[in-house]
Amino acid sequence: LAKTTQPISMDSYEGQEVNITCSHNNIATNDYITWYQQFPSQGPRFIIQGYKTKVTNEVASLFIPADRKSSTLSLPRVSLSDTAVYYCLVGESNSNYQLIWGAGTKLIIKP
Amino acid sequence: ETGVTQTPRHLVMGMTNKKSLKCEQHLGHNAMYWYKQSAKKPLELMFVYSLEERVENNSVPSRFSPECPNSSHLFLHLHTLQPEDSALYLCASSPGTTDTQYFGPGTRLTVL
């Protein structure tokens, strides 16, 4: 099963762009990459998903290099409310019950 | 609001009690999940139901018993729990088992 590695924590300031990188060296051909956000005492919330190159939505961008061994979640102009834990997941055979949830990256945004 | 509700939000129970957690989704999804999130540990998948049939059970102790009476409701029946079972229990749903999951707010369970 594909495994991911992310920084345990990151700090940034309001208005900055934040990039969180996830390593997934053993990603398989059929795997897709998904990012979730989780606030304290809440369930995770889907942010973005991609397979290769770049994906952008109203919340974030996801950059995936050609070898797909890593991916970077980019949050533009963060605010205090973006303080949360961010999880990078790699899907094995596109099945939710094959997903392995890591510890995530705790992002703290300071004023 | 994600369209997935869980009750109760908080539960304190003794080791000899029997209680149930309830999850309801208003999204018309066909797959539902129970997860356990302990302090400083990753989410652990416990059970997966697809079209009301259990499709995955990740070696969960028998003191946890799921029930899916229809595609909108999911229960987790608890009995003779241990203190180490104290955690945030999350329910999620998705259109199918390969689609994005929508999580509920969770039930914070404390076993005394």
Side-chain angles (χ1 to χ4, degrees), chain A residues 5-79:
Chain A
T5 303
Q6 329 174 210
I8 294 175
S9 64
M10 292 179 66
D11 291 352
S12 188
Y13 293 89
E14 282 190 290
Q16 299 293 307
E17 178 185 79
V18 172
N19 296 310
I20 305 174
T21 297
C22 178
S23 172
H24 28 80
N25 290 318
N26 296 323
I27 191 168
T29 304
N30 293 334
D31 287 345
Y32 56 96
I33 300 152
T34 309
W35 286 80
Y36 283 82
Q37 173 193 55
Q38 185 178 23
F39 298 113
S41 297
Q42 292 187 29
R45 184 177 70 114
F46 171 84
I47 301 176
I48 198 166
Q49 183 181 89
Y51 182 80
K52 62 180 179 180
T53 63
K54 177 184 175 182
V55 179
T56 298
N57 62 22
E58 64 278 4
V59 177
S61 293
L62 179 60
F63 298 92
I64 305 169
D67 67 5
R68 304 202 323 125
K69 294 184 183 296
S70 66
S71 59
T72 299
L73 175 72
S74 181
L75 304 173
R77 298 180 299 282
V78 293
S79 64

Side-chain angles (χ1 to χ4, degrees), chain B residues 22-33:
Chain B
K22 179 182 177 182
C23 175
E24 184 173 0
Q25 57 100 355
H26 311 274
L27 302 168
H29 290 170
N30 291 320
M32 296 188 78
Y33 313 77

Side-chain angles (χ1 to χ4, degrees), chain B residues 69-112:
Chain B
N70 54 63
S71 59
S72 299
H73 294 87
L74 186 64
F75 294 89
L76 187 63
H77 304 299
L78 316 171
H79 64 96
T80 59
L81 294 192
Q82 305 297 313
E84 59 265 28
D85 296 323
S86 298
L88 181 68
Y89 288 83
L90 292 160
C91 173
S93 73
S94 60
T97 56
T98 61
D99 302 306
T100 301
Q101 296 174 82
Y102 293 78
F103 285 82
T107 294
R108 175 69 62 188
L109 174 67
T110 302
V111 181
L112 300 177

Side-chain angles (χ1 to χ4, degrees), chain A residues 77-89:
Chain A
R77 298 180 299 282
V78 293
S79 64
L80 297 176
S81 62
D82 291 314
T83 294
V85 178
Y86 292 82
Y87 296 95
C88 165
L89 302 174

Side-chain angles (χ1 to χ4, degrees), chain B residues 5-8 19-24 32-34 46-47 49 54 64-70 72-78 91:
Chain B
T5 57
Q6 291 186 243
T7 54
K19 295 287 184 184
S20 296
L21 309 184
K22 179 182 177 182
C23 175
E24 184 173 0
M32 296 188 78
Y33 313 77
W34 278 117
M46 300 175 72
F47 301 103
Y49 277 82
R54 190 191 305 179
F64 295 91
S65 175
E67 178 189 3
C68 188
N70 54 63
S72 299
H73 294 87
L74 186 64
F75 294 89
L76 187 63
H77 304 299
L78 316 171
C91 173

